[in-house]
Amino acid sequence: MGKHEKLLLKILSGDSDANIHFDDLCDLLKNLGFEVRIRSSHHVFRKEGVIEKINLQRDGNKAKLYQVRQVRNIIVKYKLGGKY
């Protein structure tokens, strides 16, 4: 199991939302086909077929808790997790 799959399972489980590294979350979204636009401290992710945009900001080296939850909801809603 690769790095992205492990992170995806960690996010989908919801057990450690406060412990997700910002850079890892950004890499996962890029791997899922999202395009990123960076404006100042905001990393805005968009993907064709996904209505919502994902706006991420750092909290130290971690992703903000509510943003991890937002990412999980979008992954589940659009079935972006593949077999997971």
Side-chain angles (χ1 to χ4, degrees), residues 3 12-13 15 18 28-29 33-35 42 47 56 60 64:
K3 176 182 175 181
L12 290 175
S13 74
D15 292 336
L28 175 67
L29 289 172
F34 284 84
E35 295 179 11
H42 296 264
K47 179 180 170 105
L56 301 180
K64 293 184 177 184

Side-chain angles (χ1 to χ4, degrees), residues 15-65:
D15 292 336
S16 47
D17 289 349
N19 202 22
I20 304 292
H21 286 270
F22 179 82
D23 292 332
D24 292 342
L25 185 58
C26 289
D27 288 343
L28 175 67
L29 289 172
K30 290 176 194 173
N31 191 329
L32 291 173
F34 284 84
E35 295 179 11
V36 63
R37 185 184 73 186
I38 301 171
R39 295 249 175 155
S40 178
S41 64
H42 296 264
H43 292 64
V44 180
F45 291 86
R46 306 255 351 187
K47 179 180 170 105
E48 189 163 333
V50 176
I51 297 168
E52 299 87 354
K53 65 181 174 184
I54 301 171
N55 184 358
L56 301 180
Q57 293 173 281
R58 289 183 183 273
D59 188 11
N61 67 345
K62 307 281 186 193
K64 293 184 177 184
L65 180 65

